[in-house]
Amino acid sequence: MGVELIGVLIAVVAVGATLAGLMLGGQRAIRAELAAQRQYFDERFTALEQQMTELRARMAHLEGLLDGLREAITIRQGAA
């Protein structure tokens, strides 16, 4: 092998190693950003689930009040 061929091979390997390093660094940054986003969305979904649970309890309470009101009206109309 000639000196020029060895020089070209070394250059190709160096460029390949540099590109691999850049790709791995970029993937690491993307992975870290995705982990942060996942944590953010997990917190948001937990908050939404808690709000939905509270709303269900409030709706059940209102439903109970409406049932009682309906019964009271029905009893009054039946007695009259």
Side-chain angles (χ1 to χ4, degrees):
M1 278 200 241
V3 175
E4 292 177 3
L5 182 60
I6 293 174
V8 169
L9 289 176
I10 291 173
V12 169
V13 170
V15 169
T18 302
L19 288 174
L22 289 172
M23 288 172 55
L24 291 175
Q27 287 178 351
R28 185 179 302 126
I30 290 171
R31 190 172 289 147
E33 186 176 336
L34 286 174
Q37 289 293 322
R38 181 177 180 175
Q39 180 181 359
Y40 170 76
F41 283 119
D42 285 345
E43 291 170 0
R44 293 290 302 211
F45 281 126
T46 301
L48 283 173
E49 288 172 347
Q50 182 179 3
Q51 289 175 357
M52 288 176 59
T53 301
E54 291 172 5
L55 284 173
R56 283 188 187 119
R58 291 172 65 186
M59 286 175 55
H61 178 71
L62 287 174
E63 185 179 4
L65 290 175
L66 288 174
D67 286 341
L69 180 61
R70 184 181 310 120
E71 288 177 13
I73 290 172
T74 304
I75 291 171
R76 283 187 186 170
Q77 288 178 352

